[in-house]
């Protein structure tokens, strides 16, 4: 049942009233016993709660922070820039700028095609607006649990980046705070991109360091700004 429903959401999205998730229809498509289904899920709201969890668990990048391709881009960028990884008194090294520049640009495209993230954004927006979402409190608790797991993993990634590039968190904030700030910015920019893609996606030729102008995605500039505000050289 969940496999059939996940494939349907991948093709159609998850409607806020769950109109495209009818148990009887899914029972026919899955070819499973009706009595078993209703013993496990007494109603559609109970099924959708498990479906939302399954959507995130089917997304290989959500629990790991980045999808595989974005993680590969980050690792390759760090390998290319390996000789220059120490922070300077003026802030993060050029190597970190380049790693963030290429990784964020790639991740913005990957997030847009992630079923889990589209579901999360749709349902969290509905919950925030006060719209009636069936099973709203259960869905809110589930989204909170999923986001906590995601933030924990992203905090680990930022901890590794700080160690690699000779940085530490400024007093008063930690890697989880950094993860929250970056996630909120990416979410907001993703929302604006759906309304007016060129507003966000057009490259900006910007010089953020001695390496001179590079083409940056707007989200990359924002992430670099957040990262710089939250961190400082570890040897200060």
């Amino acid at each position: 049942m969940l496999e059939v429903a996940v494939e349907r959401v991948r093709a159609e999205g998850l409607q806020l009233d769950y109109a495209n998730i009818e148990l009887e229809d899914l029972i026919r498509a899955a070819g499973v016993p009706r009595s078993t289904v209703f013993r496990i899920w007494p109603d559609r709201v109970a099924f959708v709660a498990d479906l939302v969890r399954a959507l995130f668990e089917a997304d290989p990048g959500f629990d790991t922070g980045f999808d595989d391709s974005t993680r590969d881009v980050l690792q390759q960028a760090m390998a290319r820039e390996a000789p220059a990884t120490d922070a300077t008194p003026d802030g993060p090294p050029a190597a970190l700028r380049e790693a963030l520049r290429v990784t964020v640009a790639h991740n913005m495209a990957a997030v847009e095609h992630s079923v889990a993230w589209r579901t999360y954004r749709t349902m969290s927006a509905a919950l925030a607006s006060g719209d009636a979402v069936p099973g709203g409190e259960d869905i809110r608790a589930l989204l909170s649990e999923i986001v906590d797991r995601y933030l924990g993993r992203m905090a680990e990634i930022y901890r590794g980046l700080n160690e690699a590039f000779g940085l530490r968190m400024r007093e008063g904030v930690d890697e989880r705070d950094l993860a929250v700030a970056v996630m909120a910015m990416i979410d907001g920019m993703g929302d604006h991109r759906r309304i007016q893609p060129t507003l966000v996606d057009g490259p900006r030729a910007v010089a953020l360091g001695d390496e001179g102008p590079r083409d940056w995605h707007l989200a990359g500039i924002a992430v670099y700004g957040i990262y710089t505000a939250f961190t400082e050289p570890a040897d200060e």
Side-chain angles (χ1 to χ4, degrees), residues 1-11 21 51 54-55 58 115:
M1 285 283 289
L2 289 170
E3 287 174 1
V4 169
V6 165
E7 289 305 313
R8 180 165 296 180
V9 173
R10 281 176 174 162
I21 304 298
L51 171 59
L55 286 167
V115 174

Side-chain angles (χ1 to χ4, degrees), residues 79-100:
R80 286 195 303 271
E81 304 292 333
T85 56
D86 291 331
T88 69
D90 295 327
L96 176 62
R97 284 193 290 275
E98 181 61 13
L100 293 178

Side-chain angles (χ1 to χ4, degrees), residues 28-77:
R28 288 191 294 271
V32 295
R34 186 176 184 276
S35 58
T36 301
V37 169
F38 284 100
R39 185 169 66 249
I40 299 172
W41 300 291
D43 54 39
R44 185 168 55 167
V45 170
F47 178 79
V48 168
D50 279 356
L51 171 59
V52 171
R53 186 183 299 276
L55 286 167
F56 284 98
E57 291 175 348
D59 185 330
F62 200 79
D63 261 352
T64 57
F66 288 135
D67 63 285
D68 290 343
S69 62
T70 300
R71 195 161 51 251
D72 289 345
V73 167
L74 175 60
Q75 291 171 349
Q76 291 166 12

Side-chain angles (χ1 to χ4, degrees), residues 179-208:
V180 171
V182 171
M183 181 182 71
M185 187 281 300
I186 294 293
D187 283 353
M189 200 163 287
D191 288 343
H192 285 290
R193 182 172 60 180
R194 294 185 190 98
I195 298 169
Q196 191 175 353
T198 57
L199 188 69
V200 173
D201 285 333
R204 275 73 169 179
V206 182
L208 296 180

Side-chain angles (χ1 to χ4, degrees), residues 143-200:
L143 291 181
S144 178
E145 172 198 330
I146 290 170
V147 169
D148 279 344
R149 285 162 50 190
Y150 171 78
L151 291 173
R153 181 57 183 138
M154 288 306 302
E156 290 180 19
I157 291 176
Y158 294 139
R159 200 169 292 117
L161 285 176
N162 286 346
E163 181 177 350
F165 291 113
L167 298 169
R168 67 186 179 197
M169 301 305 297
R170 295 185 189 274
E171 186 176 354
V173 292
D174 58 22
E175 290 84 358
R176 188 179 177 87
D177 295 325
L178 174 59
V180 171
V182 171
M183 181 182 71
M185 187 281 300
I186 294 293
D187 283 353
M189 200 163 287
D191 288 343
H192 285 290
R193 182 172 60 180
R194 294 185 190 98
I195 298 169
Q196 191 175 353
T198 57
L199 188 69
V200 173

